[in-house]
Amino acid sequence: MAMLTPFPSMAPALSGGSTADQVLLFGGYDVWSNGNSASAGLHWAQNGLNNDGFVMRLSLSNAVERYWTPRRLYTTDIFRAAIMPGWRFKAGEFELKLFAGPDFEHHNLTPDDPTSKWRGGHPGLRIAAEAWAQPVPELMLTTSYYATTIAAGYGFRTAAGWRLLDSFWIGPEFSGSRDEFSRQNRLGFHLTGLASGPVEWSMAMGYVSDSFGRTGSYARLAAQMRP
């Protein structure tokens, strides 16, 4: 499971008078039939979150993946961290963010396997891209992609949303991830941008399947705020 990223915001461009917000805090929790993941991060924009220019993102996560055999349960605890400088481009109701930077993973195996090449820490390089568009006021489209040199991993998500009650977006989403270990696909529905005070919430649930023939359900809850 990939680290969570910020979702499109419906908050005003300005706060505190005429000072553009530069910092966005985000985090969340993802659970599915055979694992779970907690993520947190910080997004800093030199010229303000709603303007073009240099951006920096720090992401941290810890995931647990489980695999059962008739004789034993295998568990992999995966810590991930990435710091990625990038750039935000905006034209009308379309925006694009591009990132690239160092990546790190640490795998803790249970039962331990000293012969595994993926045991312990592994540095790498991660790239990421995110796009968001609002072709009409009531409709949003978003997509994201990442790739890392660690275990040749990559993943994507694409979603559409219809604006309801001028308060949040709701619609379908499709995502997937691949690496040297497995492949996973997800199809579900999301609710994005529901504000509660200074916090915006996102949630999703749906169907998941992987290359081991396992199927089940997933759920995700995420939040972000401008401190």
Side-chain angles (χ1 to χ4, degrees):
M1 290 175 287
M3 289 180 285
L4 295 175
T5 58
F7 45 87
S9 174
M10 298 178 65
L14 302 176
S15 69
S18 60
T19 303
D21 295 330
Q22 290 182 303
V23 177
L24 183 72
L25 304 178
F26 61 92
Y29 185 73
D30 181 292
V31 61
W32 71 292
S33 311
N34 295 283
N36 58 78
S37 176
S39 299
L42 180 149
H43 182 96
W44 178 79
Q46 183 180 32
N47 298 327
L49 296 171
N50 294 79
N51 300 316
D52 288 359
F54 178 78
V55 293
M56 179 72 72
R57 179 172 297 167
L58 170 65
S59 298
L60 304 170
S61 75
N62 197 82
V64 176
E65 301 283 350
R66 295 181 292 271
Y67 182 76
W68 282 269
T69 70
R71 299 181 59 186
R72 179 171 288 180
L73 168 64
Y74 293 87
T75 302
T76 304
D77 191 293
I78 309 171
F79 171 78
R80 297 182 174 98
I83 182 166
M84 296 186 293
W87 201 270
R88 179 183 189 266
F89 307 87
K90 190 175 190 304
E93 297 303 322
F94 172 81
E95 72 172 58
L96 174 67
K97 299 187 188 79
L98 301 175
F99 300 92
D103 197 13
F104 177 79
E105 289 189 10
H106 186 279
H107 294 207
N108 185 36
L109 311 178
T110 305
D112 192 17
D113 181 5
T115 65
S116 172
K117 71 174 183 177
W118 293 113
R119 179 177 181 263
H122 303 276
L125 176 67
R126 177 179 287 251
I127 61 172
E130 300 171 11
W132 179 84
Q134 192 174 341
V136 296
E138 298 82 12
L139 177 67
M140 61 83 83
L141 304 170
T142 185
T143 187
S144 60
Y145 175 83
Y146 77 89
T148 176
T149 58
I150 302 173
Y154 67 93
F156 66 90
R157 176 181 178 265
T158 184
W162 189 259
R163 192 166 181 168
L164 291 182
L165 306 175
D166 200 29
S167 299
F168 56 86
W169 308 93
I170 187 168
E173 68 171 22
F174 176 64
S175 62
S177 60
R178 310 284 189 271
D179 59 26
E180 291 187 10
F181 311 107
S182 66
R183 300 184 302 275
Q184 185 183 104
N185 294 313
R186 297 181 174 200
L187 179 63
F189 287 89
H190 73 96
L191 185 154
T192 298
L194 181 63
S196 175
V199 180
E200 287 185 47
W201 297 91
S202 172
M203 57 198 74
M205 61 186 305
Y207 173 82
V208 57
S209 64
D210 70 10
S211 54
F212 295 110
R214 301 177 297 181
T215 61
S217 58
Y218 76 90
R220 183 179 70 250
L221 178 65
Q224 64 184 32
M225 65 176 295
R226 306 181 184 206

